């Protein structure tokens, strides 16, 4: 199900949200089983939200999930996945950038 958010955000914000994340914000580290894990750090996510929506933006975690990833062949723990859901509160702006 798709929600029309064009009336909530400015044209500039929608264009920025449609872009791929700048690769300099994506970190990586070695994972189990000779894999590379990519992630974005929380402070970078908050900085980008502030850039897009302003420093007055309220970002509140509403749910957080941690999951241990197991190798299907050995049952060995090979990583941990985190998933966070946040609520974003921002003031509506009447003008486009």
């Amino acid at each position: 199900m798709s929600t029309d958010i064009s009336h909530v955000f400015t044209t500039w914000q929608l264009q920025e949200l449609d872009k791929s994340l700048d690769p300099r914000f994506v970190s990586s580290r070695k994972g189990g089983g000779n894999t590379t894990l990519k992630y974005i750090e929380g402070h970078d996510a908050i900085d980008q939200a502030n850039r897009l929506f302003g420093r007055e933006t309220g970002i509140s975690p509403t749910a957080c999930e941690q999951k241990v990833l197991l190798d299907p062949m050995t049952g060995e723990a090979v990583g941990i996945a985190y998933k966070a859901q946040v609520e974003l509160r921002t003031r509506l702006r009447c003008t486009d950038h």
Side-chain angles (χ1 to χ4, degrees):
M1 176 185 238
S2 166
T3 303
D4 180 16
I5 59 172
S6 61
H7 65 284
V8 177
F9 299 113
T10 67
T11 301
W12 176 80
Q13 288 170 322
L14 291 170
Q15 289 170 343
E16 290 297 302
L17 289 168
D18 199 37
K19 292 180 181 177
S20 295
L21 184 63
D22 187 325
R24 67 188 162 122
F25 298 117
V26 179
S27 300
S28 62
R29 68 175 182 81
K30 186 175 180 176
N34 202 26
T35 61
T36 300
L37 306 173
K38 295 186 178 202
Y39 60 97
I40 179 172
E41 295 192 28
H43 65 91
D44 286 329
I46 290 169
D47 288 346
Q48 289 305 300
N50 286 336
R51 181 180 70 83
L52 289 171
F53 306 113
R55 296 251 175 232
E56 337 50 70
T57 302
I59 302 173
S60 305
T62 58
C64 186
E65 180 182 324
Q66 175 181 333
K67 185 183 213 179
V68 176
L69 305 174
L70 303 176
D71 182 311
M73 301 298 287
T74 66
E76 174 187 0
V78 293
I80 298 175
Y82 293 95
K83 179 180 177 182
Q85 183 175 6
V86 297
E87 177 181 78
L88 174 68
R89 291 180 310 279
T90 186
R91 295 180 186 185
L92 294 178
R93 296 185 183 157
C94 296
T95 61
D96 277 354
H97 283 287

